[in-house]
Amino acid sequence: MPDLDLPRGVVLALWLAAGAARRAPSDAALRGVQADDEPHEVVDRTGARLDLAEAVRSWTAPDLDVVALLPAPGDVAGVPAAVSAAALDAREVVLLRAAGRSLALVPEVTTFGSALEPGHLVTWHETEVPDWTLAVQALGTLEDADRGLRRGLADVTDALVRLDVAHWDDEHAAHVVALRDAGVPTWRLPDRLDARRARILASAARLLAIVDLAARDDGGAVNLWQADQRTAALRDVDRLARRALSAATFAGPASGPASGPGGGAR
């Protein structure tokens, strides 16, 4: 059974919000973020190079607010202008705020090795940005994300069936069946992650994986209009899933009575 994948920024934001590294990052936190990558490096706003453990110590604070955003072409809501191009290229950015200072962290990923044994070098670039919290709050709450995921799945399923373009070949169908029962590896997540947040993470990651499969061809579309409608339906559910992943990482003002991924307000 395949595991569901999460963007690196989502995992980093979850560990920071959970307070797993208040004094020093745990081995579990570093392993969860880095997974099979080579050890991550960070280039801070002064140009200094740090390892991830050093950087995490510099980022954490009792009043830390954090969120991971996953921009896509035509959807960069909440992303500070200073890093919008880099974040769009990376398709992710982590935003931090503590002690009156706001930072954006954008990963630069270099792939090496073969298709059978790929490797990744990851460097996080730190940039000071204006306060981002109001822009992120406007994207919606965790409750909004939960409702949106359920509605989005129903809407996209109805659209694909109605247009008769939900065709899957045998290989794609087998992948979808496998994804239905797949989960996010627990070792990548903080131990105290509350059940609803974990469920939203898994549901959103599952939808993104299905959208990725569906976007590889036009399914059973027989004309350009059907293909365009199918693409629009997939784009809508992709946006909902990305926003849900962001909402699941948000720990900060107005993020609700269970604001942190650990389930408690700070």
Side-chain angles (χ1 to χ4, degrees):
M1 182 186 304
D3 288 329
L4 295 173
D5 193 26
L6 288 176
R8 295 172 179 86
V10 167
V11 181
L12 176 59
L14 289 168
W15 278 103
L16 290 172
R22 281 292 178 252
R23 294 184 179 177
S26 67
D27 290 341
L30 295 176
R31 187 167 69 97
V33 175
Q34 294 174 159
D36 294 329
D37 299 336
E38 295 297 308
H40 291 193
E41 286 193 332
V42 177
V43 177
D44 72 12
R45 63 194 184 284
T46 71
R49 284 190 172 268
L50 311 171
D51 62 36
L52 186 60
E54 292 176 298
V56 167
R57 283 194 290 270
S58 75
W59 295 329
T60 53
D63 61 342
L64 179 69
D65 301 327
V66 61
V67 70
L69 299 180
L70 306 171
D75 180 22
V76 294
V79 178
V83 295
S84 60
L88 187 57
D89 185 56
R91 295 297 183 96
E92 59 181 315
V93 58
V94 178
L95 303 178
L96 309 176
R97 188 174 74 104
R101 186 182 71 182
S102 296
L103 299 173
L105 314 172
V106 179
E108 177 187 358
V109 181
T110 302
T111 302
F112 65 92
S114 67
L116 294 177
E117 295 186 0
H120 300 91
L121 298 172
V122 179
T123 301
W124 295 87
H125 294 271
E126 177 188 276
T127 303
E128 192 153 4
V129 295
D131 191 320
W132 47 264
T133 50
L134 288 178
V136 168
Q137 287 171 25
L139 298 180
T141 65
L142 194 62
E143 290 79 6
D144 296 331
D146 200 1
R147 288 192 297 271
L149 282 177
R150 292 195 295 269
R151 184 182 68 252
L153 181 58
D155 288 351
V156 76
T157 300
D158 176 71
L160 296 181
V161 171
R162 175 169 45 82
L163 293 166
D164 192 29
V165 291
H167 168 75
W168 298 94
D169 59 29
D170 290 343
E171 181 181 359
H172 283 177
H175 279 304
V176 171
V177 171
L179 287 170
R180 182 185 61 192
D181 299 320
V184 176
T186 56
W187 59 268
R188 295 202 69 191
L189 303 176
D191 291 339
R192 297 187 298 117
L193 192 68
D194 69 82
R196 181 176 64 171
R197 214 171 284 260
R199 175 173 52 78
I200 288 173
L201 287 167
S203 295
R206 186 173 296 112
L207 282 180
L208 287 178
I210 292 173
V211 167
D212 179 64
L213 281 174
R216 295 178 188 180
D217 57 45
D218 288 332
V222 297
N223 57 47
L224 183 60
W225 181 84
Q226 284 189 337
D228 286 346
Q229 291 298 302
R230 183 178 192 269
T231 298
L234 294 173
R235 185 170 57 245
D236 287 345
V237 79
D238 174 79
R239 179 182 57 81
L240 284 168
R242 288 185 290 103
R243 295 280 180 92
L245 285 177
S246 293
T249 68
F250 183 34
S255 57
S259 62
R266 293 196 307 270

